[in-house]
């Protein structure tokens, strides 16, 4: 068990914003849901949301982004749609919950834009940062949990999920070389800002990945989380 470097942050303290990132197929969405349950069990006022989407307007934008018919979508169009969804989510959902002292968990946030549209599609990173700042009004996560997985393993997981009935979307359809650039991009983002990130090996069994995430939330944010409580 990792020892806390800060005193335990009690439920009801000032708002806290945690984002989760990772290549496709990192198991992020399952983990995020389980972590939200654990935090709620400990009494935290957790709002769980995701990008793209999380609002009525954002969910409509998500549909356009995922639609396999939209193969002609230009990377700049994609960029602006992701950020349109983000602007709505920040104003309508994230900021109000943080202002009430709540804890917000977001499944993807602006680092996905830097990794996918920046490193993946090669759009200029400074231009992306300006657009992101316009969309978020400068809001930054307190901690970003990164679930790391090789693109080949991530693809295998996505194919299994699709076999179980999940949708295969336009963004899954990108070439393997694209997914390699995305992962390398994440590694560069982490290297540039190590204090904001907690990087976790997502190729481990699901329970071990969850234990590592809980340990990171305890040690990096001082969250009061009992490692032995049922998940
Ligand atoms: P989603 O179905 O939410 O996948 P995941 O479970 O992997 O989060 O699809 C999100 C896809 O959109 C994913 O491939 C990452 C991509 N994306 C971007 O390219 N840029 C962004 O800014 C965001 C938020 C997501």
């Amino acid at each position: 068990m990792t020892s806390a470097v800060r005193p335990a942050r009690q439920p009801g303290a000032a708002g806290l914003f945690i984002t989760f990132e990772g290549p496709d197929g990192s198991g992020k969405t399952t983990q995020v849901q389980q972590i939200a349950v654990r935090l709620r069990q400990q009494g935290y006022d957790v709002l769980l949301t995701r990008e793209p989407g999380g609002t009525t307007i954002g969910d409509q934008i998500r549909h356009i982004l995922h639609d396999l018919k939209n193969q002609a979508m230009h990377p700049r169009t994609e960029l602006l749609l992701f950020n349109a969804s983000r602007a709505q989510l920040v104003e309508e959902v994230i900021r109000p919950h943080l202002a009430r002292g709540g804890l917000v968990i977001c499944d993807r946030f602006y680092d996905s834009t830097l990794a996918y549209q920046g490193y993946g599609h090669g759009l200029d990173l400074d231009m992306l940062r300006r657009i992101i700042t316009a969309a978020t009004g400068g809001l930054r996560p307190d901690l970003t949990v990164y679930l790391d997985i090789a693109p080949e393993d991530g693809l295998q997981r996505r194919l299994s999920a699709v076999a179980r009935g999940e949708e295969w979307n336009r963004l899954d359809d990108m070439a393997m070389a694209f997914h390699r650039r995305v992962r390398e991009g994440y590694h560069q983002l982490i290297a540039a800002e190590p204090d904001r990130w907690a990087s976790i090996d997502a190729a481990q069994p699901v329970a071990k990945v969850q234990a590592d995430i809980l340990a990171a939330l305890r040690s990096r944010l001082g969250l009061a989380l009992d490692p032995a409580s049922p998940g």
Side-chain angles (χ1 to χ4, degrees), residues 5-6 9 16-19 110-111 140-146 186-199 216-217 219-222:
V5 295
R6 298 192 211 173
R9 184 192 289 257
L16 205 52
F17 184 28
I18 304 168
T19 59
Y110 62 70
D111 295 298
R140 301 169 75 83
D142 293 292
L143 183 73
T144 301
V145 178
Y146 172 66
Y186 274 123
H187 291 174
Q188 294 205 27
L189 293 170
I190 294 167
E193 219 184 341
D195 289 350
R196 180 169 61 87
W197 292 81
S199 181
L217 297 182
S219 66
R220 302 286 295 276
L221 296 174

Side-chain angles (χ1 to χ4, degrees), residues 9 13-21 39 45-51 86 89-91 93-95 97-99 101-111 132 136 138-145 196 217 221 223:
R9 184 192 289 257
L16 205 52
F17 184 28
I18 304 168
T19 59
F20 279 72
E21 296 284 347
L39 286 165
D45 177 13
V46 177
L47 187 145
L48 173 60
T49 188
R50 68 169 178 185
E51 282 201 344
R86 178 166 303 139
L89 183 67
V90 166
E91 288 311 315
V93 173
I94 298 178
R95 281 193 192 277
H97 195 75
L98 292 176
L103 193 157
V104 176
I105 298 180
C106 196
D107 184 350
R108 295 196 182 281
F109 198 52
Y110 62 70
D111 295 298
I132 287 168
T136 60
L139 180 69
R140 301 169 75 83
D142 293 292
L143 183 73
T144 301
V145 178
R196 180 169 61 87
L217 297 182
L221 296 174
L223 293 188

Side-chain angles (χ1 to χ4, degrees), residues 17-127:
F17 184 28
I18 304 168
T19 59
F20 279 72
E21 296 284 347
D24 295 53
S26 61
K28 182 171 50 55
T29 301
T30 310
Q31 290 293 343
V32 163
Q33 284 164 358
Q34 291 175 357
I35 294 295
V37 169
R38 293 292 286 261
L39 286 165
R40 284 184 185 127
Q41 285 172 346
Q42 298 292 136
Y44 290 99
D45 177 13
V46 177
L47 187 145
L48 173 60
T49 188
R50 68 169 178 185
E51 282 201 344
T55 63
T56 306
I57 293 170
D59 285 339
Q60 292 172 43
I61 297 172
R62 180 184 178 89
H63 180 72
I64 299 171
L65 282 161
H66 279 189
D67 195 338
L68 284 164
K69 287 199 298 295
N70 288 337
Q71 297 294 335
M73 191 180 296
H74 189 277
R76 284 202 300 275
T77 309
E78 193 177 281
L79 166 70
L80 293 169
L81 287 173
F82 279 121
N83 279 281
S85 169
R86 178 166 303 139
Q88 191 66 28
L89 183 67
V90 166
E91 288 311 315
E92 192 179 317
V93 173
I94 298 178
R95 281 193 192 277
H97 195 75
L98 292 176
R100 287 194 293 272
L103 193 157
V104 176
I105 298 180
C106 196
D107 184 350
R108 295 196 182 281
F109 198 52
Y110 62 70
D111 295 298
S112 287
T113 297
L114 296 170
Y116 284 78
Q117 280 65 54
Y119 291 93
H121 284 306
L123 295 186
D124 179 71
L125 289 171
D126 288 335
M127 182 266 289

Side-chain angles (χ1 to χ4, degrees), residues 112-181:
S112 287
T113 297
L114 296 170
Y116 284 78
Q117 280 65 54
Y119 291 93
H121 284 306
L123 295 186
D124 179 71
L125 289 171
D126 288 335
M127 182 266 289
L128 296 186
R129 289 185 204 280
R130 286 196 296 277
I131 289 175
I132 287 168
T133 303
T136 60
L139 180 69
R140 301 169 75 83
D142 293 292
L143 183 73
T144 301
V145 178
Y146 172 66
L147 300 185
D148 192 38
I149 191 129
E152 295 77 10
D153 297 342
L155 178 66
Q156 274 315 315
R157 287 205 187 167
R158 285 292 298 131
L159 290 172
S160 315
V162 169
R164 290 194 305 271
E166 266 187 37
E167 96 173 338
W168 177 262
N169 65 52
R170 191 183 59 84
L171 297 148
D172 285 312
D173 235 10
M174 302 281 180
M176 189 56 76
F178 172 84
H179 289 293
R180 286 207 187 88
R181 290 197 298 276

